[in-house]
């Protein structure tokens, strides 16, 4: 009986077990289905999302900076190029003992104390497989010394980058501008700009056409593992190199002109009067763009900023000066074109003229005697032009100034371009709430007062007078370059500015007289080489406003003034006189008289320009450039 | 005392016993383990070293051990149950003093040739001990709460020791297996409900006893995005690997997540992820299918056994096996927090594999002796 009862219990246990086992099995099957469901969701439904994530994990895109487009002059001389920049890289993982390695490396190349500590610090901080820059800008000699010793330098590799290089140093610094590291404010989101050693144009042509020079970034797809170690390169796209640009400059002439300006704070522009091509555009003193590309040091930078002669300013386009007597050409043409005066117009100069109680002096105290237009220009008689200006009136003068390019923009696309200034009655009323005074018209007649012009504008003015009256515009690029880098030849069929030939001839004859006739103000700067003679006009402007307003001082006039207060010397010229081809404008800040300081420079520059004219001699022989600086060695 | 007839406990000849072994189950185990070898070869980047060869050697030894275990008379196993449990408990306690650590936890005892992980042994020993205990108790006795004190100790003493190592995953697994055996043994369901409610109430207290990193793991699990490069990283990378595998996978040894080390511990805890990345949904289903077959065999053996001991051992082992699978796969999919539980038969690891094969040996043993009736107590 007891045995039977026991038996029953055993059966009960088995049944209970079976029931509960089924329940447990069901639960486990349910949980397993849950896993399969989730797996299905991850691997089938949502798979694409994770495929992308896995790929992003795996592939790092490394941008490759394309070589920057180069800059050439009109004859194909490279004036901004890219130099191989060799750098020593250290991979700690392979080097093991970094201290010893640095010591060994110091015996082969120079490593500064600063670099030394930086490398040790980086080695301690960064992951062992991340390359550390030891030094850049290695010379080829240093590179080869490292290569030779390579077996004893584990973990050391040479990397090749590119560095902007300007073989002509200072002479075209202002035009070329420079490149430098991208600042925070310049970040546009373009990943190329975020490359650690990427440089962009900051000034001049480098800045104006930066987008063309930059090219299109290449990319290297690198497979990386979870800690970022590079496993292999998957794909490589070299990108598109930046576009090269040809300038209108003749680098030889540019260099000549720059050095001819010497230590003066001065500027000179040489232009082809028909095409507007700028053959030289020098501003002195200048700076070396290489300093910027290499990362300018604080001392050099401070030196540039503190220099009274403003080496960072491109005076050819950003320097605004009262044109002085060079402006008399505008007054001449305004008078002749309006018919108010004729070339035979005569005025007697006693050294001054008066309006009401105000007295206006001629530069020649004793007076010039009776002057007609030709002599008035030749001897730059102020009294003659006071008279003409008074008769012609400000409005006609202003209109003619604008037609000739003064007070209007002549854009080259460079940074800091100024458009000069030509005052009008309306302007004065609006600006000062005062009526325009008759006396002010007289002052304007000799290019003083409010009138301002840049050397570029003076060159354009000269060109427009002597080129047959075409509204030539200055050109710095040999081709008009579109946004895609394609170029079309620059337009040279400039519209007529509507000045009669008779008027222009009278003006030109006067300018020829200035240089080539007795008593001409620039007689001492006559070009004697046959067929290369120049004509021109001197100018001396009182220092009221100069390129930097704070340097302006009073109107006191004497020879013993400090440099800052001396008059500016100006000269506009053209050559050759029989069939003009080149126009030139020169300003020497605080140089004294135009005939003394500016005309001799113009003479030399115009002479050199004509000597280098390829239509005159074989172009190749004219390419006798001074040896460019800094050729490796 | 001992009887040797076919149906009432007769001695069975060795040849007879060999024939009784469920060979299909053995083949399924070998197939599953082979998937592991293939994945370990891939995990080493196409090398037998350092994992695949060693795993194969261990498996070979383990399979022989498994058959050996299956051959031994089931009554001897039942007799040894408490002893085995006691020994494994002592080893587990020894970890506290002589254990070697890895990853912030002390889990191993160095035995010169290899490191022993007592927590793996104690899981199996616990099943044996519980099975023996419940085998010896009548249904009425089990209804009496006093009789539950001993089995509760059998579960919670080792679980507490494992928890202290700290190894949250194994502790949870042990409690769950213990619970399953209690349930199968016939403990009233309302008692389970009571325990669960009690456990829920204890959560705030238990939270304080968790290590900072354990808390972090749980928090990270709840919101993996909060720390994508820290603790949440593994979960995210594992999900990316799984998901990017797609339907058919990236191909053998082509898993980028695994090969490029985005997957942590790919040879152990995250090997399922690696399999799913390289062989896709199809590959993962194949493995889960094999597991399912193994589980079905486990249930079939349990239901076929005539002794309560055999039934409890069979389902205890099967449930342990299931929980391994569930916890590991759910973990790598981000369904539960990251706890270090290997994927049975596939993950690299010595003790875990050997312990598991020992467990399968017991399962086979139950099958070999399925018709043997066992007395309520061995002292009878």
């Amino acid at each position: 009986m007891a045995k039977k009862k026991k038996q029953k219990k055993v059966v009960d246990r088995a049944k209970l077990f079976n029931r509960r086992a089924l329940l447990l099995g069901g639960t486990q099957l349910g949980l397993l289905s849950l896993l399969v469901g989730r797996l299905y969701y991850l691997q089938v439904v949502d798979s694409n999302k994770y495929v992308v994530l896995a790929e992003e994990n795996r592939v790092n895109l490394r941008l490759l900076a394309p070589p920057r487009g180069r800059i050439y002059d009109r004859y194909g001389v490279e004036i901004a190029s890219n130099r191989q920049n060799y750098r020593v890289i250290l991979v700690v993982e392979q080097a093991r003992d970094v201290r010893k390695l640095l010591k060994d490396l110091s015996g082969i190349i120079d490593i500064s104390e600063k670099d030394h500590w930086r490398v040790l610090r980086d080695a301690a901080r960064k992951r062992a497989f991340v390359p550390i820059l030891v030094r850049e800008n290695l010379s080829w000699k240093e590179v080869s010394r490292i290569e030779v010793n390579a077996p004893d330098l584990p973990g050391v590799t040479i990397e090749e980058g590119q560095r902007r290089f300007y073989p002509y140093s200072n002479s075209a610094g202002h035009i070329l501008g420079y490149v430098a590291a991208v600042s925070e404010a310049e970040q546009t989101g373009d990943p190329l700009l975020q490359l650690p050693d990427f440089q962009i144009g900051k000034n001049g042509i480098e800045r104006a056409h930066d987008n063309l020079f930059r090219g299109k970034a290449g990319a290297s797809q690198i497979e990386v593992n979870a800690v970022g170690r590079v496993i292999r390169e998957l794909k490589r796209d070299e990108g598109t190199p930046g576009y090269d640009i040809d300038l209108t400059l003749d680098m030889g002439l540019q260099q000549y002109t720059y050095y001819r300006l010497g230590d003066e704070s001065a500027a000179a522009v040489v232009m082809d009067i028909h095409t507007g091509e700028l053959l030289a555009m020098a501003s002195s003193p200048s700076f070396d763009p290489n300093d910027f590309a290499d990362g300018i040091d604080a001392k050099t930078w401070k030196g540039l900023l503190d220099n009274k002669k403003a080496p960072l300013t491109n005076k050819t386009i950003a320097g605004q000066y009262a044109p002085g007597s060079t402006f008399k050409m505008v007054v001449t043409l305004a008078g002749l074109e309006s018919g108010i005066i004729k070339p035979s117009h005569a005025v007697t100069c006693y050294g001054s003229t008066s309006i009401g109680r105000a007295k206006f002096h001629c530069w020649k105290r004793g007076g010039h005697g009776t002057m007609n237009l030709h002599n008035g220009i030749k001897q730059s008689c102020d009294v003659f032009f006071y008279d003409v200006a008074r008769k012609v009136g400000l409005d006609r003068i202003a209109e003619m100034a604008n037609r000739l390019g003064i007070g209007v923009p002549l854009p080259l696309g460079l940074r800091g371009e100024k458009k000069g200034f030509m005052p009008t009655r309306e302007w004065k009323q609006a600006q000062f709430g005062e009526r325009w005074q008759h006396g002010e018209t007289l002052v304007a007649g000799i290019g003083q007062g409010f009138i301002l012009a840049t050397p570029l504008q003076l060159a354009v003015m000269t060109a427009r007078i002597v080129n047959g009256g075409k509204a030539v515009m200055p050109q710095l690029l040999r081709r008009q370059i579109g946004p895609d880098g394609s170029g079309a030849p620059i337009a040279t069929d400039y519209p007529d500015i509507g000045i009669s030939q008779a008027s222009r001839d009278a003006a030109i004859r006067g300018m020829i007289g200035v240089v080539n006739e007795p008593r001409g103000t620039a007689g001492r700067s006559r070009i004697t080489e046959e067929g290369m003679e120049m004509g021109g006009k001197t100018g001396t402007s009182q220092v009221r406003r100069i390129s930097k307003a704070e340097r302006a001082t009073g109107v006191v006039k004497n020879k013993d003034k400090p440099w800052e207060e001396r008059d500016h010397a100006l000269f506009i010229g053209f050559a050759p006189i029989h069939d003009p081809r080149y126009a030139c404008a020169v300003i020497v800040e605080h140089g004294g008289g135009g005939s003394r300081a500016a005309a001799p420079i113009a003479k030399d520059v115009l002479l050199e320009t004509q000597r280098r004219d390829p239509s005159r001699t074989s172009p190749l022989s004219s390419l006798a450039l001074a040896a460019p600086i800094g050729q490796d060695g | 005392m001992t009887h040797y007839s076919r149906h009432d406990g007769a001695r069975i000849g060795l040849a007879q016993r060999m024939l009784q072994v469920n060979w299909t189950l053995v083949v399924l185990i070998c197939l599953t383990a082979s998937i592991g070898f293939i994945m370990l070869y891939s995990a080493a980047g196409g090398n037998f070293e350092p994992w695949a060869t060693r795993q194969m050697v261990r498996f070979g030894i383990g399979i022989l051990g498994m058959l050996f275990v299956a051959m031994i008379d089931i009554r001897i196993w039942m007799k040894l149950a408490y002893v085995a449990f006691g020994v494994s408990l002592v080893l587990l306690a020894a970890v506290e003093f002589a254990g070697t650590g890895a990853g912030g936890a002390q889990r191993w005892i160095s035995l010169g040739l290899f490191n022993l992980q007592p927590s793996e042994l104690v899981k199996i020993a616990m099943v044996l001990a519980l099975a023996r205990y419940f085998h010896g108790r009548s249904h009425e006795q089990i209804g009496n709460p006093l009789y539950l004190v001993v089995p509760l100790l059998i579960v919670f003493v080792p679980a507490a020791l494992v928890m202290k190592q700290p190894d949250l995953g194994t502790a949870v697994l042990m409690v769950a297996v213990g619970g399953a055996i209690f349930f199968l043994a016939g403990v009233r369901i309302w008692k389970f409900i009571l325990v669960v409610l009690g456990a829920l109430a204890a959560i705030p207290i238990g939270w304080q006893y968790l290590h900072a990193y354990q808390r972090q793991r749980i928090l990270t699990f709840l919101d993996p995005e909060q720390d994508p490069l820290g603790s949440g990283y593994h979960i995210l990378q594992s999900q990316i690997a799984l998901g990017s595998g797609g339907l058919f996978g990236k191909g053998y040894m082509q898993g980028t997540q695994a090969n490029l080390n985005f997957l942590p511990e790919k040879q152990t805890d995250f090997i399922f992820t690696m399999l799913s990345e390289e062989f896709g949904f199809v590959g993962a289903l194949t493995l889960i299918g094999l597991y399912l077959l193994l589980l079905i065999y486990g249930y079939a053996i349990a239901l076929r056994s005539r002794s309560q001991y055999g039934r409890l051992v069979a389902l205890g082992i099967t449930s342990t096996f299931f929980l391994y699978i569930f916890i590991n796969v759910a973990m790598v999919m981000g369904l539960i927090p990251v706890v270090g539980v290997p994927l049975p038969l596939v993950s690299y690891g010595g003790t875990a594999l050997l312990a598991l094969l020992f467990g399968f040996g017991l399962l086979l043993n139950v099958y070999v002796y399925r018709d043997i009736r066992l007395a309520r107590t061995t002292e009878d």
Side-chain angles (χ1 to χ4, degrees), chain A residues 9 13 20 47 57 226, chain B residues 137 140 183 187 237 257 260:
Chain A
K9 285 293 163 205
R13 276 209 312 199
R20 292 200 166 185
S47 182
N57 256 348
Chain B
R137 302 290 161 265
E140 286 79 17
F183 176 70
V187 175
Q237 291 301 341
Q257 287 283 103
L260 300 170

Side-chain angles (χ1 to χ4, degrees), chain B residues 221-276:
Chain B
F221 165 71
L222 295 174
D223 182 15
E225 317 282 337
Q226 68 167 350
D227 187 13
L229 291 176
S231 336
Y233 181 78
H234 295 173
I235 298 172
L236 289 178
Q237 291 301 341
S238 177
Q239 282 189 32
I240 290 171
L242 279 166
S244 63
L247 196 53
F248 297 107
K250 295 176 186 170
Y252 187 46
M253 300 208 285
Q254 304 293 310
T256 58
Q257 287 283 103
N259 278 325
L260 300 170
N261 288 326
F262 288 99
L263 275 188
E265 303 284 325
K266 60 184 177 223
Q267 79 279 13
T268 58
D269 293 354
F270 285 85
I271 199 157
F272 182 77
T273 309
M274 193 181 164
L275 170 94
S276 306

Side-chain angles (χ1 to χ4, degrees), chain A residues 339-414:
Chain A
I340 289 170
I341 61 157
K342 298 212 154 20
S344 58
H345 181 74
V347 173
T348 303
C349 171
Y350 299 106
S352 67
T353 190
S354 301
I355 294 186
R357 285 186 300 168
K359 206 171 181 188
F360 298 87
H361 292 278
C362 185
W363 66 269
K364 192 168 182 178
R365 292 275 154 181
H368 285 97
T370 300
M371 295 270 106
N372 62 6
L373 179 68
H374 184 78
N375 288 323
I377 295 171
K378 194 172 86 179
Q379 298 187 41
S380 200
C381 174
D382 292 335
V383 169
F384 180 86
F385 282 96
Y386 290 144
D387 185 66
V388 176
R390 185 165 50 186
K391 288 197 166 70
V392 173
L394 178 75
D395 296 341
R396 292 194 187 88
I397 293 171
E399 191 268 336
M400 181 55 72
N402 291 158
R403 259 206 269 180
L404 291 171
I406 289 172
V408 294
L410 302 170
L412 289 172
L414 300 182

